[in-house]
Amino acid sequence: PKGDGKAVLEAMQGISDGTPLGRVIGCGTATTGRVFGVRRVPCVKGQSLPAYDPRAVKGVGVTYATTPMGADHTAGYSVTANILSVGGKVDPLKKEGQIELSRNLQVATASVDSVGLCLFTAFAILDVPDALPAIVDMLNANLTGDDVVTLGQRILSTEVDFNRRAGITEAADHLPDFFSDEPLPPHNTTFDITHEELKTTFNWIK
């Protein structure tokens, strides 16, 4: 029952003990929802949504839906422009500009991740004009800013190709329906970016 801390602790212990309920819970949120027939499960590609509700931060919703790894806010952290006004400003409650924002951040993040830099360097890259050229110089005197974009696109293309070969099709690139059906107070917004619009996120992949 709701609010029963003892029952929660017993259920968690069941994971370690291998009880039937513990085995179900131990398989994660998506599996637990399927076993119990629960529709309202906040997962994409089997991964639970972290940190932000996509109805209130729609750029993150695009990232959750389209990133090859499943719901992951760090793969395209649109909170930068949606909430913090870093690298520009895109209204978090409106759908306009969210796909482009998520796309650009996912490409940049893939590049930053691949060269071993901390994700938080993105804040400097977005707000300090000399930051990206300095990183390019640090990596290789022959790289350009365009090369960094190409690198990010190639990484994401490879990840998407891996997913498709593993049977994770474009049909998985969406949020659970309840984010579109249930308004989120206090603004009473829903995630209104359509599946057709989400399909344009990685628009360089043919």
Side-chain angles (χ1 to χ4, degrees), residues 1-192:
K2 184 176 180 181
D4 188 343
K6 185 172 181 292
V8 170
L9 292 175
E10 288 172 357
M12 295 301 101
Q13 184 61 43
I15 296 172
S16 177
D17 294 344
T19 65
L21 177 60
R23 292 178 67 156
V24 170
I25 294 170
C27 288
T29 307
T31 296
T32 302
R34 276 195 303 275
V35 168
F36 290 106
V38 176
R39 167 187 173 262
R40 206 173 174 283
V41 179
C43 293
V44 175
K45 300 179 183 86
Q47 180 158 294
S48 297
L49 270 64
Y52 306 96
D53 191 302
R55 294 168 290 190
V57 189
K58 293 187 180 184
V60 164
V62 174
T63 298
Y64 287 161
T66 60
T67 178
M69 64 200 73
D72 178 1
H73 63 297
T74 67
Y77 191 59
S78 80
V79 170
T80 52
N82 280 165
I83 304 296
L84 302 174
S85 299
V86 172
K89 178 71 177 162
V90 178
D91 188 330
L93 301 177
K94 295 183 177 168
K95 67 193 255 179
E96 290 76 25
Q98 305 299 351
I99 288 179
E100 182 180 16
L101 175 64
S102 175
R103 175 192 307 128
N104 292 342
L105 288 168
Q106 287 191 65
V107 167
T109 301
S111 294
V112 167
D113 284 348
S114 75
V115 297
L117 293 173
C118 172
L119 177 61
F120 289 125
T121 59
F123 287 95
I125 293 169
L126 289 168
D127 258 1
V128 179
D130 294 336
L132 180 58
I135 288 171
V136 169
D137 289 344
M138 178 188 76
L139 295 172
N140 178 346
N142 296 321
L143 279 178
T144 68
D146 288 343
D147 294 330
V148 174
V149 171
T150 300
L151 173 62
Q153 289 177 338
R154 285 179 55 202
I155 291 165
L156 290 166
S157 296
T158 301
E159 291 175 349
V160 167
D161 180 60
F162 176 90
N163 278 2
R164 299 302 180 254
R165 291 170 187 258
I168 303 170
T169 69
E170 206 172 56
D173 295 343
H174 67 87
L175 296 175
D177 291 342
F178 73 90
F179 287 116
S180 300
D181 300 344
E182 299 177 18
L184 177 69
H187 302 290
N188 295 318
T189 55
T190 59
F191 188 78
D192 56 354

